[in-house]
Amino acid sequence: MTLYESWKRIAFDQQGNANKHVWDEYLAKEKLVYANLIKTKTSHIEGTPTELAEKFNLTTTQMGAFFHGIHECVTIPEVEEIEEDTAISFDIDFEKLYKQMVEYKAEELYNLPEWDTMYTKDEQKQFYVEQKRSHTVVRNDSKVGRNDPCTCGSGKKFKKCCGAI
């Protein structure tokens, strides 16, 4: 069984609801892992999940959850296939990591005080705004009014042509 499968088995009940005590324990530990990585500016991680779990004070199952959480901003093997002895090696792009935390609305992570050792408050605000705007769709085309000429080119008013549908 892969680490992520093991994680899902303990983190969720049979109805798919989160097991609160499991998540509370994990999220507290996850916060410490990120705080440590940011504070020490550890941009390269290498080892097996078993070795990394020991290093970060997590269980190997919790490492499966950690890999699932970080996989979108790093290049690691397919998360669903990682086992205890899988060799892992990846580099962390901290700007991308910060933005991913914003994307997932993980305030407790993107507001860690350790970010201040890496980026200024202005840079953090810029990353936050960039991430929030990255999903904003701006339409430049104006809306066709009822009495405007139809966009199909018939010469009729929109309301008497395509707008009548």
Side-chain angles (χ1 to χ4, degrees):
M1 177 179 305
T2 68
L3 294 180
Y4 189 62
E5 289 171 339
S6 297
W7 170 253
K8 288 192 304 187
R9 186 175 256 174
I10 65 165
F12 301 97
D13 64 21
Q14 291 182 352
Q15 289 75 36
N17 300 314
N19 289 324
K20 185 174 175 5
H21 71 281
V22 172
W23 278 97
D24 288 346
E25 178 186 349
Y26 169 71
L27 293 173
K29 288 183 175 184
E30 177 192 44
K31 187 175 178 179
L32 294 173
V33 171
Y34 281 120
N36 183 328
L37 292 174
I38 296 163
K39 182 179 178 183
T40 60
K41 297 177 174 65
T42 303
S43 61
H44 183 75
I45 294 179
E46 190 171 325
T48 66
T50 303
E51 295 166 344
L52 295 172
E54 186 176 320
K55 178 180 179 178
F56 295 127
N57 195 29
L58 298 171
T59 65
T60 52
T61 303
Q62 290 170 332
M63 280 307 300
F66 180 80
F67 292 139
H68 186 265
I70 198 171
H71 84 279
E72 288 185 20
C73 66
V74 298
T75 303
I76 56 177
E78 192 62 40
V79 175
E80 286 79 13
E81 297 174 8
I82 297 175
E83 296 181 0
E84 290 183 6
D85 60 350
T86 304
I88 304 290
S89 177
F90 60 88
D91 294 314
I92 299 173
D93 177 339
F94 285 103
E95 180 181 335
K96 195 171 181 180
L97 178 63
Y98 185 91
K99 289 178 178 181
Q100 181 183 7
M101 291 173 175
V102 170
E103 172 74 17
Y104 289 123
K105 299 179 177 128
E107 286 184 50
E108 69 283 355
L109 297 179
Y110 69 76
N111 284 325
L112 286 168
E114 287 77 10
W115 283 112
D116 296 341
T117 66
M118 187 169 289
Y119 299 114
T120 66
K121 287 290 186 190
D122 287 341
E123 289 172 318
Q124 291 174 52
K125 184 177 180 179
Q126 177 187 347
F127 297 156
Y128 181 90
V129 170
E130 285 174 6
Q131 182 59 37
K132 290 294 186 179
R133 286 186 178 160
S134 69
H135 297 292
T136 303
V137 177
V138 178
R139 293 185 62 189
N140 291 329
D141 54 334
S142 59
K143 190 173 177 180
V144 178
R146 292 175 32 105
N147 290 317
D148 291 339
C150 190
T151 56
C152 74
S154 67
K156 296 180 182 179
K157 289 185 179 183
F158 181 74
K159 70 181 179 184
K160 297 282 188 180
C161 190
C162 295
I165 298 173

